[in-house]
Amino acid sequence: MTDTAPTAIPPSTQVTLPDGRVELAPGSPPPSGPYANEDLLPVPVEGRTWTTYNFSALWVGMAHNTASWTLASGLIAVGMDWKQAVFTIALANLIVLAPMLLTGHAGPRYGIPFPVFARASFGIRGANLPAVVRALVACGWFGIQTWIGGEAIYFLAGKLIGDGWTGAATVGGYAWTMWLSFAIFWALQVAIIYRGMETIRRFENWAAPFVLVGAFVMLWWMADKAGGLGPLFDQPSKLGWGGDFWKLFWPSLMGMIGFWSTLSLNIPDFTRYGKSQKAQTRGQALGLPTTMTLFAFLSVMVTSGSQAVYGEPIWDPVQLAAKTDNVVGLLFALVTVLVATLSVNIAANLVSPAFDFSNVAPRKVSFRTGALITSVLAVLIFPWKLYSDPQGYIFTWLGLVGGLLGTVAGILIADYWILRRARLHLVDLYRRGGRYWYGGGWNWRAVLAFAVGGVLAIGGADFHPLIEGRPVPFLEPLADYGWAVGLGTSLVLYLTLMLLPATRPHSEADGHRAGQP
């Protein structure tokens, strides 16, 4: 689509297979120029090999991680009982599955990553706006997860080496050995991502079941300490099911949705390798809500047990594992934490921003260079501050993330499904002056919808402990519903602006008549 219709539409250079997948026509030259590189080009059909199991294993590997654990255990720490916490997380993951499948559809159909997919709605250059926002969020997540992995190394080495390690001199509020552990884990992840997507796929396949076994072992250990499963189920809610619970429920639900709102945008980065549409749909439906709910259940049971055994809920699994005196058990628990953290951090928080940063300057930034940029920014965001308490972690960090990214999801869904009916022209996604060039490479309608949706979603939020106060105090009533407000507002506003007669752009149907599938 462009603000003014081009004088001539270039002939289609893509073909549609009987199963609906689209690729560049055999023998045609691939797109080139300043908006294309090898990492951003469509994956050929023969390269789309991921099966239902691969997608399920990907989600098991990403869902069974320490941050997911702290989601559920954090809800226990702020007053919910196990039933309330599991209910909140199960519902959130059923809700976020919908945009996950809707945006994921473009991956196996066209073989394109998220930043290229976003060009259809934001423009060739404008796609850098949601891509960079998504990338910066991933940098925050990468930093948080790397801090968790470093924590595991720190406690593990402390148990083996002794007080000389854990009692080392402090720098910036933490022992210098903690900073060293953080650096070691950071370097390990960068080494794995450098080996490419196929290495990541193989790693996810074996990491997923290993982490699940580790979680069950922690449950068995805590039940044994508590004298059976009974005390784990008996811990009462501090809130009841009245007004106090529902007041906490809505921001918690939005926070839980915010946890995977990042992946609901850039899931095409993975589904572009899908063997079929069924593979990504079934794999995600089987992998996301089921494994997140199961892991949440295990987390709240163990955290409830810690409350029964130690008198207070210990929401950080690394801190909890460190309380055991059994060296073998400690080693197993902390190795599980390391594998779990590697699994999610590499897949969710390095792959996507690597593509996003590559999209900013395709000729200069490769996938691997983008991963290095992510790794450096992740340290500069000070992740240890974000992760310092469950209140700030769930309600500030996740709430802000969900509100902003829900806004982008609304625009992508409106553009791809309602306006274009899932039809894209591959070559024009990489071409100056094509139907996705709009005005100077930017679609001002998408930018305006993003800005308005973002302000309404997070303008009234409490940014503590990041900053004091609310940027737009009168929007406070919307703050607890940030993700839904952002998605709904941007979707409706974008459609309205795109369908205005005075500004209605060149119709995608015209592209279809010109040979587009």
Side-chain angles (χ1 to χ4, degrees):
M1 293 190 181
T2 56
D3 286 331
T4 58
T7 55
I9 300 173
S12 174
T13 53
Q14 62 189 40
V15 294
T16 305
L17 303 183
D19 62 3
R21 289 184 296 170
V22 179
E23 68 174 345
L24 296 171
S28 64
S32 59
Y35 305 108
N37 67 23
E38 184 178 352
D39 297 314
L40 297 176
L41 289 177
V43 176
V45 165
E46 63 268 19
R48 304 177 201 175
T49 58
W50 288 32
T51 64
T52 296
Y53 175 77
N54 293 138
F55 286 111
S56 295
L58 176 74
W59 272 114
V60 172
M62 289 198 295
H64 294 168
N65 67 83
T66 311
S68 296
W69 183 281
T70 58
L71 282 184
S73 60
L75 293 179
I76 297 293
V78 296
M80 291 188 185
D81 65 14
W82 73 270
K83 296 184 291 294
Q84 293 168 334
V86 172
F87 166 70
T88 302
I89 290 175
L91 180 60
N93 283 281
L94 284 174
I95 292 172
V96 82
L97 179 64
M100 198 81 70
L101 295 178
L102 290 173
T103 55
H105 183 276
R109 182 162 190 178
Y110 295 100
I112 54 176
F114 159 66
V116 174
F117 176 45
R119 293 175 179 181
S121 52
F122 281 84
I124 303 293
R125 290 173 172 169
N128 287 325
L129 174 62
V132 169
V133 169
R134 166 64 185 98
L136 292 177
V137 168
C139 290
W141 274 123
F142 181 78
I144 289 173
Q145 295 277 13
T146 303
W147 184 256
I148 292 171
E151 218 180 21
I153 293 176
Y154 172 74
F155 283 114
L156 173 59
K159 285 288 184 178
L160 297 176
I161 298 173
D163 293 340
W165 179 269
T166 54
T170 60
V171 177
Y174 295 93
W176 69 264
T177 47
M178 177 62 216
W179 295 112
L180 176 61
S181 302
F182 177 62
I184 290 171
F185 195 66
W186 180 92
L188 177 61
Q189 293 170 107
V190 173
I192 292 176
I193 195 71
Y194 242 68
R195 296 183 63 86
M197 287 295 292
E198 184 60 22
T199 299
I200 294 169
R201 183 184 69 84
R202 291 197 300 266
F203 177 75
E204 295 293 338
N205 284 347
W206 73 262
F210 179 84
V211 173
L212 187 58
V213 170
F216 275 107
V217 169
M218 284 197 76
L219 177 63
W220 170 80
W221 169 64
M222 188 50 62
D224 181 64
K225 294 278 287 184
L229 290 173
L232 278 62
F233 286 99
D234 290 342
Q235 295 303 307
S237 169
K238 299 176 182 177
L239 307 169
W241 286 92
D244 289 341
F245 166 71
W246 295 106
K247 183 178 179 181
L248 185 66
F249 169 76
W250 293 111
S252 297
L253 182 69
M254 292 301 110
M256 299 305 107
I257 292 172
F259 186 75
W260 288 127
S261 64
T262 51
L263 267 293
S264 70
L265 294 186
N266 65 266
I267 194 65
D269 291 340
F270 298 96
T271 61
R272 68 190 297 219
Y273 300 100
K275 193 172 185 178
S276 66
Q277 206 61 248
K278 286 184 178 179
Q280 75 96 5
T281 302
R282 291 176 178 175
Q284 292 204 80
L286 290 172
L288 172 57
T290 54
T291 55
M292 278 295 290
T293 302
L294 172 62
F295 207 61
F297 175 76
L298 295 174
S299 170
V300 297
M301 286 295 96
V302 173
T303 306
S304 293
S306 71
Q307 186 169 341
V309 173
Y310 300 109
E312 61 178 358
I314 301 174
W315 74 300
D316 185 339
V318 176
Q319 300 280 357
L320 184 60
K323 286 186 171 292
T324 181
D325 294 325
N326 186 306
V327 175
V328 175
L330 176 73
L331 287 174
F332 178 78
L334 295 184
V335 167
T336 302
V337 169
L338 287 175
V339 173
T341 307
L342 274 171
S343 177
V344 68
N345 221 18
I346 292 171
N349 302 321
L350 265 184
V351 170
S352 299
F355 284 125
D356 295 337
F357 287 128
S358 179
N359 188 68
V360 173
R363 285 181 169 179
K364 297 179 180 179
V365 181
S366 67
F367 175 81
R368 288 181 172 86
T369 304
L372 282 177
I373 293 172
T374 303
S375 303
V376 172
L377 290 177
V379 178
L380 299 179
I381 285 175
F382 301 152
W384 46 92
K385 291 186 178 292
L386 293 174
Y387 189 67
S388 59
D389 71 275
Q391 189 79 18
Y393 175 58
I394 293 175
F395 299 117
T396 300
W397 170 245
L398 294 181
L400 296 181
V401 166
L404 279 178
L405 299 186
T407 301
V408 178
I411 295 170
L412 296 181
I413 292 168
D415 184 82
Y416 182 70
W417 285 104
I418 301 176
L419 290 181
R420 305 186 192 279
R421 308 294 175 87
R423 293 172 180 152
L424 297 175
H425 192 281
L426 282 176
V427 173
D428 272 8
L429 287 169
Y430 302 88
R431 188 172 71 88
R432 180 189 180 97
R435 70 197 71 203
Y436 310 118
W437 186 249
Y438 298 97
W442 288 78
N443 181 4
W444 64 266
R445 306 164 190 84
V447 175
L448 180 60
F450 171 76
V452 173
V455 169
L456 292 177
I458 68 172
D462 182 359
F463 281 55
H464 180 78
L466 301 180
I467 63 173
E468 295 295 331
R470 302 173 188 269
V472 188
F474 73 86
L475 293 178
E476 181 179 350
L478 300 179
D480 289 348
Y481 314 96
W483 181 82
V485 168
L487 188 146
T489 300
S490 64
L491 187 150
V492 172
L493 181 56
Y494 179 77
L495 285 178
T496 301
L497 293 173
M498 291 293 283
L499 296 175
L500 284 175
T503 61
R504 187 169 183 174
H506 162 66
S507 172
E508 197 73 24
D510 295 338
H512 183 47
R513 287 192 293 271
Q516 178 185 339

PDB file of all heavy atoms in Angstrom, residues 205-220:
ATOM      1  N   ASN A 205      15.136 -28.990  21.974  1.00  0.00           N
ATOM      2  CA  ASN A 205      14.541 -30.325  21.962  1.00  0.00           C
ATOM      3  C   ASN A 205      14.923 -31.154  23.187  1.00  0.00           C
ATOM      4  O   ASN A 205      14.110 -31.908  23.717  1.00  0.00           O
ATOM      5  CB  ASN A 205      14.944 -31.073  20.682  1.00  0.00           C
ATOM      6  CG  ASN A 205      14.177 -30.590  19.468  1.00  0.00           C
ATOM      7  OD1 ASN A 205      13.180 -29.878  19.592  1.00  0.00           O
ATOM      8  ND2 ASN A 205      14.639 -30.965  18.286  1.00  0.00           N
ATOM      9  N   TRP A 206      16.167 -31.049  23.629  1.00  0.00           N
ATOM     10  CA  TRP A 206      16.562 -31.869  24.794  1.00  0.00           C
ATOM     11  C   TRP A 206      16.433 -31.109  26.110  1.00  0.00           C
ATOM     12  O   TRP A 206      16.255 -31.709  27.173  1.00  0.00           O
ATOM     13  CB  TRP A 206      17.981 -32.418  24.637  1.00  0.00           C
ATOM     14  CG  TRP A 206      19.094 -31.432  24.801  1.00  0.00           C
ATOM     15  CD1 TRP A 206      19.765 -30.783  23.836  1.00  0.00           C
ATOM     16  CD2 TRP A 206      19.677 -30.988  26.051  1.00  0.00           C
ATOM     17  NE1 TRP A 206      20.720 -29.949  24.378  1.00  0.00           N
ATOM     18  CE2 TRP A 206      20.696 -30.059  25.735  1.00  0.00           C
ATOM     19  CE3 TRP A 206      19.436 -31.285  27.389  1.00  0.00           C
ATOM     20  CZ2 TRP A 206      21.463 -29.431  26.699  1.00  0.00           C
ATOM     21  CZ3 TRP A 206      20.208 -30.645  28.357  1.00  0.00           C
ATOM     22  CH2 TRP A 206      21.206 -29.747  28.007  1.00  0.00           C
ATOM     23  N   ALA A 207      16.504 -29.766  26.067  1.00  0.00           N
ATOM     24  CA  ALA A 207      16.424 -28.988  27.303  1.00  0.00           C
ATOM     25  C   ALA A 207      15.036 -29.053  27.914  1.00  0.00           C
ATOM     26  O   ALA A 207      14.874 -29.051  29.142  1.00  0.00           O
ATOM     27  CB  ALA A 207      16.811 -27.531  27.029  1.00  0.00           C
ATOM     28  N   ALA A 208      13.998 -29.111  27.059  1.00  0.00           N
ATOM     29  CA  ALA A 208      12.617 -29.055  27.548  1.00  0.00           C
ATOM     30  C   ALA A 208      12.296 -30.157  28.562  1.00  0.00           C
ATOM     31  O   ALA A 208      11.865 -29.873  29.685  1.00  0.00           O
ATOM     32  CB  ALA A 208      11.654 -29.098  26.368  1.00  0.00           C
ATOM     33  N   PRO A 209      12.484 -31.444  28.226  1.00  0.00           N
ATOM     34  CA  PRO A 209      12.153 -32.482  29.214  1.00  0.00           C
ATOM     35  C   PRO A 209      13.059 -32.457  30.438  1.00  0.00           C
ATOM     36  O   PRO A 209      12.620 -32.774  31.546  1.00  0.00           O
ATOM     37  CB  PRO A 209      12.318 -33.790  28.428  1.00  0.00           C
ATOM     38  CG  PRO A 209      13.184 -33.442  27.273  1.00  0.00           C
ATOM     39  CD  PRO A 209      12.893 -32.029  26.936  1.00  0.00           C
ATOM     40  N   PHE A 210      14.313 -32.058  30.276  1.00  0.00           N
ATOM     41  CA  PHE A 210      15.238 -32.004  31.408  1.00  0.00           C
ATOM     42  C   PHE A 210      14.741 -31.028  32.471  1.00  0.00           C
ATOM     43  O   PHE A 210      14.752 -31.317  33.666  1.00  0.00           O
ATOM     44  CB  PHE A 210      16.624 -31.588  30.908  1.00  0.00           C
ATOM     45  CG  PHE A 210      17.666 -31.483  31.997  1.00  0.00           C
ATOM     46  CD1 PHE A 210      18.356 -32.610  32.419  1.00  0.00           C
ATOM     47  CD2 PHE A 210      17.939 -30.266  32.608  1.00  0.00           C
ATOM     48  CE1 PHE A 210      19.308 -32.522  33.429  1.00  0.00           C
ATOM     49  CE2 PHE A 210      18.888 -30.168  33.621  1.00  0.00           C
ATOM     50  CZ  PHE A 210      19.571 -31.300  34.025  1.00  0.00           C
ATOM     51  N   VAL A 211      14.294 -29.869  32.033  1.00  0.00           N
ATOM     52  CA  VAL A 211      13.845 -28.846  32.974  1.00  0.00           C
ATOM     53  C   VAL A 211      12.562 -29.286  33.683  1.00  0.00           C
ATOM     54  O   VAL A 211      12.381 -29.042  34.884  1.00  0.00           O
ATOM     55  CB  VAL A 211      13.622 -27.504  32.244  1.00  0.00           C
ATOM     56  CG1 VAL A 211      12.999 -26.471  33.169  1.00  0.00           C
ATOM     57  CG2 VAL A 211      14.954 -26.990  31.705  1.00  0.00           C
ATOM     58  N   LEU A 212      11.670 -29.948  32.969  1.00  0.00           N
ATOM     59  CA  LEU A 212      10.419 -30.411  33.577  1.00  0.00           C
ATOM     60  C   LEU A 212      10.706 -31.427  34.681  1.00  0.00           C
ATOM     61  O   LEU A 212      10.105 -31.376  35.767  1.00  0.00           O
ATOM     62  CB  LEU A 212       9.510 -31.028  32.517  1.00  0.00           C
ATOM     63  CG  LEU A 212       8.109 -31.403  32.980  1.00  0.00           C
ATOM     64  CD1 LEU A 212       7.368 -30.202  33.538  1.00  0.00           C
ATOM     65  CD2 LEU A 212       7.319 -32.016  31.829  1.00  0.00           C
ATOM     66  N   VAL A 213      11.639 -32.328  34.433  1.00  0.00           N
ATOM     67  CA  VAL A 213      12.035 -33.294  35.464  1.00  0.00           C
ATOM     68  C   VAL A 213      12.594 -32.562  36.675  1.00  0.00           C
ATOM     69  O   VAL A 213      12.280 -32.890  37.829  1.00  0.00           O
ATOM     70  CB  VAL A 213      13.075 -34.291  34.898  1.00  0.00           C
ATOM     71  CG1 VAL A 213      13.672 -35.134  36.027  1.00  0.00           C
ATOM     72  CG2 VAL A 213      12.422 -35.197  33.861  1.00  0.00           C
ATOM     73  N   GLY A 214      13.400 -31.543  36.438  1.00  0.00           N
ATOM     74  CA  GLY A 214      13.972 -30.769  37.545  1.00  0.00           C
ATOM     75  C   GLY A 214      12.915 -30.114  38.405  1.00  0.00           C
ATOM     76  O   GLY A 214      13.033 -30.066  39.642  1.00  0.00           O
ATOM     77  N   ALA A 215      11.841 -29.608  37.776  1.00  0.00           N
ATOM     78  CA  ALA A 215      10.765 -28.967  38.533  1.00  0.00           C
ATOM     79  C   ALA A 215      10.044 -29.972  39.430  1.00  0.00           C
ATOM     80  O   ALA A 215       9.701 -29.672  40.582  1.00  0.00           O
ATOM     81  CB  ALA A 215       9.780 -28.310  37.576  1.00  0.00           C
ATOM     82  N   PHE A 216       9.805 -31.174  38.917  1.00  0.00           N
ATOM     83  CA  PHE A 216       9.157 -32.213  39.722  1.00  0.00           C
ATOM     84  C   PHE A 216      10.050 -32.655  40.889  1.00  0.00           C
ATOM     85  O   PHE A 216       9.566 -32.969  41.979  1.00  0.00           O
ATOM     86  CB  PHE A 216       8.785 -33.418  38.854  1.00  0.00           C
ATOM     87  CG  PHE A 216       7.464 -33.283  38.169  1.00  0.00           C
ATOM     88  CD1 PHE A 216       7.392 -33.043  36.810  1.00  0.00           C
ATOM     89  CD2 PHE A 216       6.276 -33.386  38.893  1.00  0.00           C
ATOM     90  CE1 PHE A 216       6.168 -32.904  36.169  1.00  0.00           C
ATOM     91  CE2 PHE A 216       5.037 -33.266  38.264  1.00  0.00           C
ATOM     92  CZ  PHE A 216       4.981 -33.014  36.902  1.00  0.00           C
ATOM     93  N   VAL A 217      11.357 -32.669  40.654  1.00  0.00           N
ATOM     94  CA  VAL A 217      12.281 -33.008  41.737  1.00  0.00           C
ATOM     95  C   VAL A 217      12.205 -31.956  42.843  1.00  0.00           C
ATOM     96  O   VAL A 217      12.194 -32.283  44.038  1.00  0.00           O
ATOM     97  CB  VAL A 217      13.730 -33.136  41.203  1.00  0.00           C
ATOM     98  CG1 VAL A 217      14.723 -33.217  42.353  1.00  0.00           C
ATOM     99  CG2 VAL A 217      13.852 -34.362  40.308  1.00  0.00           C
ATOM    100  N   MET A 218      12.112 -30.679  42.481  1.00  0.00           N
ATOM    101  CA  MET A 218      11.989 -29.617  43.487  1.00  0.00           C
ATOM    102  C   MET A 218      10.686 -29.762  44.269  1.00  0.00           C
ATOM    103  O   MET A 218      10.644 -29.530  45.477  1.00  0.00           O
ATOM    104  CB  MET A 218      12.067 -28.244  42.832  1.00  0.00           C
ATOM    105  CG  MET A 218      13.476 -27.827  42.433  1.00  0.00           C
ATOM    106  SD  MET A 218      13.628 -26.043  42.123  1.00  0.00           S
ATOM    107  CE  MET A 218      13.637 -25.400  43.793  1.00  0.00           C
ATOM    108  N   LEU A 219       9.611 -30.163  43.580  1.00  0.00           N
ATOM    109  CA  LEU A 219       8.332 -30.376  44.260  1.00  0.00           C
ATOM    110  C   LEU A 219       8.445 -31.533  45.260  1.00  0.00           C
ATOM    111  O   LEU A 219       7.969 -31.435  46.401  1.00  0.00           O
ATOM    112  CB  LEU A 219       7.239 -30.670  43.239  1.00  0.00           C
ATOM    113  CG  LEU A 219       5.856 -30.990  43.813  1.00  0.00           C
ATOM    114  CD1 LEU A 219       5.293 -29.803  44.581  1.00  0.00           C
ATOM    115  CD2 LEU A 219       4.895 -31.407  42.707  1.00  0.00           C
ATOM    116  N   TRP A 220       9.072 -32.607  44.851  1.00  0.00           N
ATOM    117  CA  TRP A 220       9.249 -33.762  45.744  1.00  0.00           C
ATOM    118  C   TRP A 220      10.082 -33.361  46.960  1.00  0.00           C
ATOM    119  O   TRP A 220       9.755 -33.715  48.095  1.00  0.00           O
ATOM    120  CB  TRP A 220       9.936 -34.890  44.981  1.00  0.00           C
ATOM    121  CG  TRP A 220      10.363 -36.025  45.866  1.00  0.00           C
ATOM    122  CD1 TRP A 220       9.606 -37.032  46.359  1.00  0.00           C
ATOM    123  CD2 TRP A 220      11.686 -36.212  46.400  1.00  0.00           C
ATOM    124  NE1 TRP A 220      10.364 -37.860  47.163  1.00  0.00           N
ATOM    125  CE2 TRP A 220      11.647 -37.378  47.207  1.00  0.00           C
ATOM    126  CE3 TRP A 220      12.887 -35.523  46.270  1.00  0.00           C
ATOM    127  CZ2 TRP A 220      12.764 -37.859  47.867  1.00  0.00           C
ATOM    128  CZ3 TRP A 220      14.010 -36.002  46.934  1.00  0.00           C
ATOM    129  CH2 TRP A 220      13.929 -37.162  47.719  1.00  0.00           C
TER     130      TRP A 220
END
